[in-house]
Every structure is written in C-alpha cells, then in structure tokens.
Amino acid sequence: MGKILMIIPLAVMAVEPVLVGQSMTTAEPTEIMSPGGEYSLSFEYGRGNTEYVTIERFTVRTKTDALVYEKTQTKHTLLDISDNGIVVGIDYDGPVSGKARLHFYDAKGQEVGTALIGFLLERMFSHGGSVYCVNDGTEGVRVFRSDGIELYRLSTCNKIAVSPDGSCIAVARDDGIHVYENGERTNTFILTSPFVRQMKFSQDNNLFGFITSKTFTMYDLSEHTHLFEYEAQPGDRYFISFDILHDNSGFVCGLDVDGGRGIPDRHTKGYLYVIDDHGTLLWQDEMQYDKWNIHVPSVQVESENEFTVSTIDQVYYYEY
C-alpha cells in the first residue's frame, strides 16, 4: 500500500503546470495573426458610410516582420489567414443578406480561386491551412482546398470544427455531433444539449472532444469509444474553452465563475483545470480578470510542454 501512495503524487506532479510569464494583449483592430503566429495580416479601411466598409489595402508579413506582399483597392470586408500564408478575402454583404464572395490568395498573393456563399456563418482554416471550411446557412457546410476548389458539402449545422490536417470535419446539429473523414461520416455522438460551445480534434485525429456550459466530453475516434464526461462543479463554474495536450495524455480547460444576474463581481474570476485521459481532475488554479467576454478564459496548447491562457487584456504562459 505504501508504494501505491508514493506513485500517485509523483504522477500528478509530473503534469502540474507552472506559470512562467505573462504579457499584455496587443491585438490591434486592424491586424490579424495566423493561428500559430507564422504570419500577420494588417489592413486599412477605405471610405464609406455603410455598416461594412471595404478594405482598401492589406499587407502580409512573416513573424520576423518581413514583407511578403501587399494588395490594394480590394472590395473585401473580412480577411482570414492561415499558418502557411494562404489568405481568404471575403466580400461580405452584411448580416441581412448574408451573401459573400470568397477570394483565395496563395502564399505569394496571387488570386487562385473564388466562391460564392449564400449566407456566411462560421468559417475557419485547418491548422496547417490545407482546407478552409465555411458554414453556409443556405448551402450547408462547404469544405474548400487552399486554392478555392470545393472538395465536398455537408448539410447545415449549428457549429463546425476542423482537424489539424484538414481531413476530418465535425458538425454539431440539434440531434447530435457527426464526424466526417474526407466527406464520409465515421462517427455520431448523441447530445443531451444542442448548445455546444467548442469542439476539437487531437493532433493525430484519434481523440475528439466538446464542451457545453456544464460538461466536457471526450471520445476515442480510433476505438469508437466514449472516454468520459466531466461535469463542472460547483454549480457556478462554466466551461468556456479547452484544448488537448499534444501527446493525448490530458486536457486543459478554462472555466468562468458566474453566479447569475445581480451577484456581485460576476465574470471576474475563472479557473484552469488539467484533466487526465480518464476524466480525473489533476490540477486546478484560480485566476482573476476585470474584463470578460464569452471567450474568457481561452486556453490553447502551444507545444509539447506549454499552453497559454488569454483574457481580454492579458496572456499567461504555462509550462508543464
């Protein structure tokens, strides 16, 4: 019995994160960073008196601030950039009509493809930038290659997630979450609540998880098995974000404390959780913030031994 008691604390300590630094959030309203920080995209608005003013100029630079290219006199109102330098410029009519035209630019700034969207909703690149996924409220989920070629479509949904390599897509609908690989459905997970806040794949596509406000659920896609469902406790803690450690050994979660309307200091305190692959809470830490939105606290695994936690005005760096 003595040997078992010695082993358990050591296992917990091996994954215990340590705060190693923090910095002010320097997000500019006219600058976009690619997901991994490999590229930055800055832009200038033109003149106009509509709700969605067009972008007159945008400039792409590397993380070392080297100029890649610049475009002028565009009609784009929205821009996205991937970690391989692919840019999608969007001519968006606004939320009333919802119509949009996508313009795909390669890493040298050459326009290589376009596509029309019936009603623009959620959109995202895969981590490597090989695919660009759009939730089109008219035509359904549409998956494009980085050159603008449409690979396939899926029926309409509430929320989407793309695997890091772009081969798998998860769509959340009222009846459940459906996972597709190269357009073919491979898994279906029944939901007790349709209000999914976030979905994610592991780096190797073997694990898939999602959060609602009160539950964190994880599946092993390779074995088609349910790993666990973890419920946030006590009742005033709510899941905001999560990410998967690179070796699939555990998960980092960000939770916000919300006592409800009229409660003093609402949305000023959060928690970080580390949960293992069996659904056991290994570590937690409290954090404070003065400003809040629906993404705070936002956790992101950066490498094999580092994750970050973002609030509106601070980024915290943890090593484990």
Side-chain angles (χ1 to χ4, degrees):
M1 181 65 71
K3 291 183 179 179
I4 294 176
L5 291 175
M6 288 293 291
I7 290 172
I8 293 175
L10 289 175
V12 173
M13 288 175 63
V15 298
E16 184 170 326
V18 176
L19 179 64
V20 295
Q22 67 186 79
S23 64
M24 294 290 294
T25 301
T26 56
E28 294 288 339
T30 56
E31 184 176 28
I32 302 169
M33 299 298 296
S34 66
E38 295 297 320
Y39 289 87
S40 67
L41 189 159
S42 59
F43 56 94
E44 300 173 10
Y45 287 108
R47 295 182 178 180
N49 56 7
T50 62
E51 181 180 2
Y52 285 83
V53 179
T54 58
I55 293 168
E56 173 67 22
R57 177 197 310 270
F58 72 86
T59 304
V60 176
R61 296 181 180 273
T62 67
K63 65 179 179 181
T64 60
D65 206 35
L67 176 66
V68 181
Y69 67 86
E70 185 174 84
K71 289 286 181 182
T72 60
Q73 297 180 331
T74 78
K75 295 182 179 180
H76 311 327
T77 51
L78 299 169
L79 294 164
D80 292 320
I81 186 167
S82 74
D83 251 1
N84 58 6
I86 305 301
V87 170
V88 176
I90 306 174
D91 305 345
Y92 181 44
D93 287 350
V96 177
S97 78
K99 293 180 180 179
R101 179 183 289 273
L102 310 181
H103 298 261
F104 292 81
Y105 297 94
D106 67 17
K108 296 181 180 179
Q110 298 298 311
E111 186 172 330
V112 292
T114 64
L116 289 173
I117 302 297
F119 199 98
L120 184 69
L121 296 171
E122 195 176 8
R123 65 194 197 271
M124 64 183 66
F125 275 108
S126 61
H127 184 76
S130 60
V131 303
Y132 184 72
C133 190
V134 178
N135 189 4
D136 183 336
T138 301
E139 301 294 332
V141 179
R142 301 172 63 180
V143 182
F144 298 90
R145 288 190 335 201
S146 59
D147 60 2
I149 299 297
E150 189 168 357
L151 296 173
Y152 56 88
R153 298 185 184 187
L154 307 171
S155 58
T156 55
C157 69
N158 303 325
K159 199 169 191 61
I160 57 176
V162 184
S163 66
D165 66 359
S167 65
C168 295
I169 308 291
V171 298
R173 303 186 178 105
D174 288 348
D175 63 333
I177 296 174
H178 306 276
V179 177
Y180 299 82
E181 184 172 2
N182 298 318
E184 299 294 327
R185 191 164 70 179
T186 57
N187 290 274
T188 297
F189 309 123
I190 304 302
L191 291 173
T192 56
S193 168
F195 302 109
V196 174
R197 289 190 166 183
Q198 189 179 29
M199 305 184 291
K200 278 196 176 181
F201 293 88
S202 62
Q203 294 291 316
D204 59 8
N205 296 349
N206 285 336
L207 300 184
F208 172 78
F210 64 91
I211 53 173
T212 66
S213 62
K214 293 300 295 180
T215 60
F216 171 40
T217 307
M218 185 60 57
Y219 289 89
D220 186 326
L221 297 181
S222 62
E223 299 293 335
H224 299 277
T225 56
H226 173 247
L227 294 179
F228 64 81
E229 180 176 284
Y230 184 94
E231 184 174 355
Q233 295 291 345
D236 62 354
R237 297 185 190 182
Y238 295 89
F239 284 108
I240 299 296
S241 63
F242 81 99
D243 207 351
I244 303 172
L245 301 186
H246 282 190
D247 64 358
N248 294 352
S249 64
F251 315 93
V252 185
C253 302
L255 297 88
D256 176 62
V257 176
D258 179 10
R261 293 182 180 179
I263 300 299
D265 301 323
R266 186 184 184 192
H267 298 309
T268 59
K269 182 169 70 173
Y271 283 88
L272 305 177
Y273 285 1
V274 171
I275 297 172
D276 72 8
D277 55 354
H278 298 292
T280 300
L281 177 63
L282 298 180
W283 172 87
Q284 62 178 304
D285 195 20
E286 182 181 311
M287 63 185 308
Q288 304 286 334
Y289 34 82
D290 298 323
K291 302 174 183 178
W292 183 85
N293 62 27
I294 60 173
H295 305 294
V296 172
S298 176
V299 300
Q300 181 171 316
V301 173
E302 304 290 350
S303 67
E304 292 182 355
N305 63 351
E306 181 186 21
F307 68 86
T308 57
V309 185
S310 299
T311 64
I312 291 178
D313 51 15
Q314 293 284 333
V315 180
Y316 300 88
Y317 302 89
Y318 286 82
E319 291 182 355
Y320 55 92

PDB file of all heavy atoms in Angstrom, residues 173-174 176-177 190-196 210 212-213 215:
ATOM      1  N   ARG A 173     -25.234  19.426 -34.757  1.00  0.00           N
ATOM      2  CA  ARG A 173     -26.624  19.708 -35.097  1.00  0.00           C
ATOM      3  C   ARG A 173     -27.471  19.480 -33.859  1.00  0.00           C
ATOM      4  O   ARG A 173     -26.977  19.016 -32.837  1.00  0.00           O
ATOM      5  CB  ARG A 173     -27.072  18.807 -36.255  1.00  0.00           C
ATOM      6  CG  ARG A 173     -26.206  18.946 -37.506  1.00  0.00           C
ATOM      7  CD  ARG A 173     -26.766  18.150 -38.682  1.00  0.00           C
ATOM      8  NE  ARG A 173     -25.948  18.325 -39.880  1.00  0.00           N
ATOM      9  CZ  ARG A 173     -25.108  17.398 -40.365  1.00  0.00           C
ATOM     10  NH1 ARG A 173     -24.999  16.223 -39.755  1.00  0.00           N
ATOM     11  NH2 ARG A 173     -24.401  17.641 -41.449  1.00  0.00           N
ATOM     12  N   ASP A 174     -28.757  19.807 -33.932  1.00  0.00           N
ATOM     13  CA  ASP A 174     -29.621  19.667 -32.761  1.00  0.00           C
ATOM     14  C   ASP A 174     -29.683  18.228 -32.261  1.00  0.00           C
ATOM     15  O   ASP A 174     -29.804  17.983 -31.061  1.00  0.00           O
ATOM     16  CB  ASP A 174     -31.037  20.142 -33.086  1.00  0.00           C
ATOM     17  CG  ASP A 174     -31.127  21.656 -33.237  1.00  0.00           C
ATOM     18  OD1 ASP A 174     -30.153  22.344 -32.863  1.00  0.00           O
ATOM     19  OD2 ASP A 174     -32.164  22.150 -33.723  1.00  0.00           O
ATOM     20  N   GLY A 176     -27.281  15.847 -32.613  1.00  0.00           N
ATOM     21  CA  GLY A 176     -26.009  15.261 -32.227  1.00  0.00           C
ATOM     22  C   GLY A 176     -24.847  15.837 -33.010  1.00  0.00           C
ATOM     23  O   GLY A 176     -25.018  16.732 -33.845  1.00  0.00           O
ATOM     24  N   ILE A 177     -23.660  15.311 -32.726  1.00  0.00           N
ATOM     25  CA  ILE A 177     -22.448  15.700 -33.431  1.00  0.00           C
ATOM     26  C   ILE A 177     -22.075  14.589 -34.391  1.00  0.00           C
ATOM     27  O   ILE A 177     -22.030  13.413 -34.018  1.00  0.00           O
ATOM     28  CB  ILE A 177     -21.290  15.956 -32.443  1.00  0.00           C
ATOM     29  CG1 ILE A 177     -21.613  17.145 -31.545  1.00  0.00           C
ATOM     30  CG2 ILE A 177     -19.983  16.203 -33.198  1.00  0.00           C
ATOM     31  CD1 ILE A 177     -20.587  17.375 -30.447  1.00  0.00           C
ATOM     32  N   ILE A 190     -24.603  11.358 -29.745  1.00  0.00           N
ATOM     33  CA  ILE A 190     -25.885  11.919 -29.345  1.00  0.00           C
ATOM     34  C   ILE A 190     -25.658  13.005 -28.285  1.00  0.00           C
ATOM     35  O   ILE A 190     -24.847  12.839 -27.372  1.00  0.00           O
ATOM     36  CB  ILE A 190     -26.814  10.830 -28.790  1.00  0.00           C
ATOM     37  CG1 ILE A 190     -26.986   9.710 -29.824  1.00  0.00           C
ATOM     38  CG2 ILE A 190     -28.171  11.423 -28.419  1.00  0.00           C
ATOM     39  CD1 ILE A 190     -27.550  10.183 -31.152  1.00  0.00           C
ATOM     40  N   LEU A 191     -26.381  14.113 -28.401  1.00  0.00           N
ATOM     41  CA  LEU A 191     -26.260  15.226 -27.473  1.00  0.00           C
ATOM     42  C   LEU A 191     -27.450  15.281 -26.528  1.00  0.00           C
ATOM     43  O   LEU A 191     -28.586  15.030 -26.935  1.00  0.00           O
ATOM     44  CB  LEU A 191     -26.173  16.553 -28.226  1.00  0.00           C
ATOM     45  CG  LEU A 191     -24.907  16.829 -29.040  1.00  0.00           C
ATOM     46  CD1 LEU A 191     -25.081  18.098 -29.856  1.00  0.00           C
ATOM     47  CD2 LEU A 191     -23.702  16.949 -28.120  1.00  0.00           C
ATOM     48  N   THR A 192     -27.184  15.605 -25.267  1.00  0.00           N
ATOM     49  CA  THR A 192     -28.273  15.878 -24.328  1.00  0.00           C
ATOM     50  C   THR A 192     -28.641  17.355 -24.352  1.00  0.00           C
ATOM     51  O   THR A 192     -29.706  17.740 -23.899  1.00  0.00           O
ATOM     52  CB  THR A 192     -27.874  15.482 -22.898  1.00  0.00           C
ATOM     53  OG1 THR A 192     -26.663  16.165 -22.535  1.00  0.00           O
ATOM     54  CG2 THR A 192     -27.635  13.981 -22.812  1.00  0.00           C
ATOM     55  N   SER A 193     -27.721  18.192 -24.881  1.00  0.00           N
ATOM     56  CA  SER A 193     -27.990  19.623 -25.062  1.00  0.00           C
ATOM     57  C   SER A 193     -27.416  20.043 -26.410  1.00  0.00           C
ATOM     58  O   SER A 193     -26.276  19.690 -26.725  1.00  0.00           O
ATOM     59  CB  SER A 193     -27.343  20.443 -23.945  1.00  0.00           C
ATOM     60  OG  SER A 193     -27.362  21.831 -24.272  1.00  0.00           O
ATOM     61  N   PRO A 194     -28.172  20.775 -27.212  1.00  0.00           N
ATOM     62  CA  PRO A 194     -27.653  21.188 -28.526  1.00  0.00           C
ATOM     63  C   PRO A 194     -26.683  22.365 -28.460  1.00  0.00           C
ATOM     64  O   PRO A 194     -26.101  22.738 -29.469  1.00  0.00           O
ATOM     65  CB  PRO A 194     -28.924  21.586 -29.284  1.00  0.00           C
ATOM     66  CG  PRO A 194     -29.848  22.078 -28.213  1.00  0.00           C
ATOM     67  CD  PRO A 194     -29.560  21.221 -27.007  1.00  0.00           C
ATOM     68  N   PHE A 195     -26.474  22.925 -27.256  1.00  0.00           N
ATOM     69  CA  PHE A 195     -25.688  24.149 -27.130  1.00  0.00           C
ATOM     70  C   PHE A 195     -24.211  23.821 -26.902  1.00  0.00           C
ATOM     71  O   PHE A 195     -23.670  24.002 -25.807  1.00  0.00           O
ATOM     72  CB  PHE A 195     -26.254  25.030 -26.013  1.00  0.00           C
ATOM     73  CG  PHE A 195     -27.700  25.404 -26.226  1.00  0.00           C
ATOM     74  CD1 PHE A 195     -28.697  24.864 -25.436  1.00  0.00           C
ATOM     75  CD2 PHE A 195     -28.053  26.282 -27.254  1.00  0.00           C
ATOM     76  CE1 PHE A 195     -30.024  25.195 -25.641  1.00  0.00           C
ATOM     77  CE2 PHE A 195     -29.380  26.612 -27.467  1.00  0.00           C
ATOM     78  CZ  PHE A 195     -30.371  26.069 -26.662  1.00  0.00           C
ATOM     79  N   VAL A 196     -23.569  23.351 -27.955  1.00  0.00           N
ATOM     80  CA  VAL A 196     -22.149  23.028 -27.904  1.00  0.00           C
ATOM     81  C   VAL A 196     -21.341  24.318 -28.011  1.00  0.00           C
ATOM     82  O   VAL A 196     -21.561  25.126 -28.919  1.00  0.00           O
ATOM     83  CB  VAL A 196     -21.778  22.068 -29.043  1.00  0.00           C
ATOM     84  CG1 VAL A 196     -20.275  21.835 -29.101  1.00  0.00           C
ATOM     85  CG2 VAL A 196     -22.509  20.744 -28.870  1.00  0.00           C
ATOM     86  N   PHE A 210     -15.701  17.823 -26.858  1.00  0.00           N
ATOM     87  CA  PHE A 210     -16.522  19.027 -26.957  1.00  0.00           C
ATOM     88  C   PHE A 210     -16.973  19.442 -25.567  1.00  0.00           C
ATOM     89  O   PHE A 210     -16.985  18.642 -24.623  1.00  0.00           O
ATOM     90  CB  PHE A 210     -17.728  18.806 -27.874  1.00  0.00           C
ATOM     91  CG  PHE A 210     -18.716  17.775 -27.402  1.00  0.00           C
ATOM     92  CD1 PHE A 210     -19.802  18.125 -26.615  1.00  0.00           C
ATOM     93  CD2 PHE A 210     -18.564  16.443 -27.749  1.00  0.00           C
ATOM     94  CE1 PHE A 210     -20.716  17.178 -26.183  1.00  0.00           C
ATOM     95  CE2 PHE A 210     -19.474  15.481 -27.324  1.00  0.00           C
ATOM     96  CZ  PHE A 210     -20.553  15.844 -26.543  1.00  0.00           C
ATOM     97  N   THR A 212     -20.071  21.722 -23.427  1.00  0.00           N
ATOM     98  CA  THR A 212     -21.243  22.574 -23.261  1.00  0.00           C
ATOM     99  C   THR A 212     -20.923  23.471 -22.065  1.00  0.00           C
ATOM    100  O   THR A 212     -19.805  23.450 -21.549  1.00  0.00           O
ATOM    101  CB  THR A 212     -22.500  21.739 -22.996  1.00  0.00           C
ATOM    102  OG1 THR A 212     -22.365  21.072 -21.729  1.00  0.00           O
ATOM    103  CG2 THR A 212     -22.706  20.696 -24.097  1.00  0.00           C
ATOM    104  N   SER A 213     -21.866  24.224 -21.602  1.00  0.00           N
ATOM    105  CA  SER A 213     -21.574  25.111 -20.480  1.00  0.00           C
ATOM    106  C   SER A 213     -21.194  24.337 -19.225  1.00  0.00           C
ATOM    107  O   SER A 213     -20.384  24.796 -18.420  1.00  0.00           O
ATOM    108  CB  SER A 213     -22.774  26.018 -20.191  1.00  0.00           C
ATOM    109  OG  SER A 213     -23.906  25.244 -19.819  1.00  0.00           O
ATOM    110  N   THR A 215     -20.589  20.581 -19.186  1.00  0.00           N
ATOM    111  CA  THR A 215     -19.970  19.272 -19.364  1.00  0.00           C
ATOM    112  C   THR A 215     -18.823  19.316 -20.362  1.00  0.00           C
ATOM    113  O   THR A 215     -18.828  20.097 -21.315  1.00  0.00           O
ATOM    114  CB  THR A 215     -20.993  18.228 -19.850  1.00  0.00           C
ATOM    115  OG1 THR A 215     -21.542  18.649 -21.100  1.00  0.00           O
ATOM    116  CG2 THR A 215     -22.106  18.046 -18.830  1.00  0.00           C
TER     117      THR A 215
END
